[in-house]
Amino acid sequence: MAAVAVNGVKLGTTSQAYLESKPVSDTKVLISDLCRQFYNLGWVSGTGGSITIKVHDDSVPKPQQLVIMSPSGVQKERMLPEDMYVLSSNGSVLSSPSPKPYPHKPPKCSDCGPLFMKAYELCNAGAVIHSHGIESCLVTMINPSSKEFRISHMEMIKGIKGHGYYDELVVPIIENTAYEYELTESLAKAIEAYPKATAVLVRNHGIYIWGDSWISAKTQAECYHYLFDAAIKLNQLGLDWSTPLHGPIHLGSGKQRNISAKAETLDSDNKSEPARRCIVLDIEGTTTPISFVTDVLFPYARDNVGRHLSATYDIEETQDDIKLLRVPGIVGAVPIPSDDAGKEAVIGALVANVESMIIADRKITALKQLQGHIWRTGFEKNELKGVVFDDVPEALMKWHDLGIKVYIYSSGSRLAQRLLFGYSNYGDLRKYLSGFFDTTVGNKRETRSYAEIAESVGVDRPSEVLFVTDVFQEAVAAKAAGLEVITINTFSEI
């Protein structure tokens, strides 16, 4: 191949001999190896995602170094070094892979090419990674109106260039488009607006990450995905990842937690639709802080199971609880001996059984039933008091006055639900509730559970029921059953 002018400079480095040289070959091998690693991490599955690395050569200034880029629409984990494209620093293709027989598609340079080249141009990068990791997609969906992802006081922030533990990491979010190349202008604007950033998130899509070298880009990519995953999990726990203390999300005031206003907005947007007749509310993270369940209710049940069983062992209700826990097939359950082994042996096994299942947060009806009976004692003795978010009582009263029936659906037993709302920090709220559903109607992540609830509440169409939750998988299942859905932390409609 003849020498090619790069940025107006005629370089011998683009000769055929250089295209076949060790630096170029090593970079191709490196991209193949990295793509296999990224595939196993879920970053480049389904032929999505990509990576590009500049050929490091001390004799060539970085802006003029050659670019190795993976192809588009191929199984990234099966790529070979000879499948790579070689580009000049201005994006001209210098070397293309040879076509492969069916069922392989004709070779095509990465659809991310224009965005990769823009990152090289504006950031003087040595490598750029485009990931479709689920964390980078979901974190942009938690708040659909947000234009930034912000997090601070997390150890892995130190892995992002220019950041320390106490720094706030800010990652711009741009909106997705139908075609990858259409993102180029938005990416460029984000890079210019956030000069400290080394990544740009694409909503409902993924992330672009760059670094001075492939090691820098890879290290930062791992840290970004860790931080996104941490943010998602903190959000599920009702904790605010964006604040230094990562404390409970305070949603009692402000538009994020205005449940009744959001429900009214949905109704007003659908004047041609029948009025909503029922609302079904989740508990953990929706009406009640998750921390109340994990830090108060669960420990109380664990610490008092022995006392409860000893005091009530001979009554029919407790014997029914024991019988349910003896049912075979409960994975991870500690074997419970027969009554012949004696009361103390049975109770000892039950205590170990319940403790292990509480720690694992098992959604087992038998466990939930026993927990409800233990909590009943705690509420009746004033050792426990239910907690609801500040906006919940007002919303319940408002819906009650409008004639909208409100139900609760939780993995906790119906007894536990009635206790929480009957002994709440706002008094007895049960008068505003029309009924309670637990896992006896089915798992909360299964569509048939919501179909059963819609049948039970007596609506003509499932769409007359609004389900409010903070768990994405539950929202998906409810929507598949035909219910209207609001995810409470963001009110994003599915």
Side-chain angles (χ1 to χ4, degrees):
M1 178 180 291
V4 176
V6 179
N7 291 341
V9 180
K10 194 170 185 179
L11 300 175
T13 54
T14 52
S15 66
Q16 185 63 34
Y18 189 76
L19 292 177
E20 297 174 356
S21 67
K22 190 175 188 301
V24 173
S25 298
D26 287 350
T27 306
K28 291 180 177 181
V29 171
L30 176 59
I31 289 181
S32 299
D33 291 342
L34 290 175
C35 275
R36 278 190 287 275
Q37 293 181 39
F38 295 167
Y39 174 83
N40 290 328
L41 293 171
W43 297 358
V44 293
S45 58
T47 77
S50 191
I51 181 173
T52 174
I53 301 175
K54 282 196 169 184
V55 178
H56 179 71
D57 189 331
D58 290 330
S59 66
V60 181
K62 183 184 283 187
Q64 297 172 353
Q65 289 174 351
L66 298 187
V67 174
I68 309 298
M69 199 173 293
S70 61
S72 180
V74 300
Q75 306 295 315
K76 295 297 192 296
E77 78 281 13
R78 295 178 60 84
M79 288 193 309
L80 300 173
E82 56 264 32
D83 296 325
M84 306 302 159
Y85 281 82
V86 183
L87 283 70
S88 69
S89 59
N90 64 4
S92 301
V93 176
L94 303 178
S95 175
S96 303
S98 301
K100 293 185 176 182
Y102 180 85
H104 297 282
K105 296 179 179 179
K108 175 186 175 185
C109 195
S110 175
D111 289 335
C112 310
L115 291 95
F116 286 154
M117 299 309 296
K118 187 60 66 174
Y120 283 136
E121 174 192 343
L122 298 178
C123 306
N124 194 30
V128 189
I129 296 169
H130 176 43
S131 166
H132 282 193
I134 189 65
E135 309 94 331
S136 61
C137 180
L138 291 181
V139 81
T140 67
M141 301 167 69
I142 294 175
N143 186 349
S145 63
S146 176
K147 300 300 181 184
E148 299 171 335
F149 168 82
R150 291 176 173 266
I151 193 167
S152 67
H153 290 68
M154 294 285 284
E155 180 68 14
M156 293 295 271
I157 291 176
K158 291 160 62 175
I160 307 301
K161 181 182 177 182
H163 290 78
Y165 173 77
Y166 295 105
D167 293 325
E168 182 179 46
L169 174 66
V170 181
V171 185
I173 302 173
I174 62 177
E175 300 303 321
N176 195 27
T177 56
Y179 299 98
E180 199 92 26
Y181 69 88
E182 295 175 341
L183 293 167
T184 307
E185 184 179 352
S186 296
L187 180 84
K189 289 180 178 178
I191 291 174
E192 291 169 354
Y194 295 83
K196 194 177 179 180
T198 56
V200 171
L201 283 159
V202 184
R203 197 181 313 280
N204 303 348
H205 182 149
I207 187 170
Y208 283 85
I209 304 161
W210 55 89
D212 297 333
S213 66
W214 71 267
I215 293 177
S216 172
K218 176 178 177 288
T219 300
Q220 293 184 95
E222 291 166 352
C223 293
Y224 277 119
H225 284 80
Y226 175 96
L227 293 168
F228 298 151
D229 185 49
I232 292 166
K233 290 176 178 175
L234 286 168
N235 183 70
Q236 291 174 332
L237 291 171
L239 302 176
D240 189 349
W241 75 77
S242 64
T243 60
L245 296 178
H246 307 307
I249 298 173
H250 296 292
L251 298 173
S253 60
K255 56 187 177 183
Q256 279 192 308
R257 275 287 316 187
N258 196 345
I259 306 176
S260 59
K262 182 61 181 180
E264 289 173 10
T265 300
L266 288 181
D267 282 335
S268 64
D269 290 343
N270 295 280
K271 294 296 186 182
S272 61
E273 298 294 325
R276 179 166 293 108
R277 294 176 55 189
C278 300
I279 294 175
V280 178
L281 301 174
D282 167 53
I283 290 182
E284 292 183 53
T286 300
T287 67
T288 298
I290 294 175
S291 57
F292 173 70
V293 179
T294 58
D295 299 343
V296 178
L297 289 183
F298 284 177
Y300 184 90
R302 184 183 64 240
D303 296 342
N304 290 278
V305 62
R307 183 181 73 171
H308 172 83
L309 291 171
S310 295
T312 64
Y313 187 81
D314 294 319
I315 69 173
E316 183 178 353
E317 181 181 80
T318 298
Q319 286 300 312
D320 287 341
D321 291 343
I322 295 172
K323 186 182 298 182
L324 274 177
L325 287 167
R326 275 200 179 110
V327 172
I330 300 179
V331 178
V334 177
I336 301 170
S338 67
D339 293 337
D340 296 338
K343 177 179 175 179
E344 297 306 318
V346 173
I347 290 177
L350 284 166
V351 170
N353 197 323
V354 170
E355 285 182 348
S356 65
M357 289 199 287
I358 288 176
I359 291 171
D361 192 19
R362 299 299 306 279
K363 310 295 186 182
I364 304 296
T365 300
L367 171 65
K368 298 301 180 181
Q369 179 172 300
L370 175 60
Q371 284 177 320
H373 294 150
I374 298 170
W375 292 330
R376 179 179 60 198
T377 301
F379 281 109
E380 290 175 348
K381 290 185 174 182
N382 207 31
E383 295 174 348
L384 290 173
K385 182 173 286 292
V387 176
V388 297
F389 287 118
D390 295 337
D391 63 341
V392 170
E394 180 183 354
L396 293 178
M397 287 186 281
K398 194 168 190 176
W399 290 328
H400 184 266
D401 292 342
L402 291 171
I404 298 173
K405 293 183 177 181
V406 180
Y407 297 84
I408 302 297
Y409 180 30
S410 172
S411 58
S413 68
R414 285 177 291 178
L415 170 61
Q417 297 172 35
R418 288 194 293 268
L419 290 168
L420 191 153
F421 288 98
Y423 294 85
S424 86
N425 52 329
Y426 282 90
D428 191 349
L429 300 174
R430 290 174 296 181
K431 57 181 173 287
Y432 303 117
L433 301 171
S434 298
F436 303 86
F437 295 97
D438 59 16
T439 52
T440 57
V441 302
N443 187 287
K444 293 188 71 183
R445 299 187 180 192
E446 294 180 0
T447 298
R448 60 183 176 85
S449 304
Y450 299 92
E452 178 67 26
I453 290 174
E455 287 282 339
S456 299
V457 299
V459 294
D460 295 326
R461 298 190 303 174
S463 59
E464 295 176 34
V465 181
L466 171 66
F467 178 56
V468 185
T469 182
D470 67 318
V471 179
F472 179 75
Q473 295 90 335
E474 295 176 4
V476 170
K479 191 67 174 178
L483 281 65
E484 292 295 323
V485 173
I486 291 175
T487 52
I488 192 61
N489 282 345
T490 63
F491 293 127
S492 57
E493 295 169 54
I494 296 178

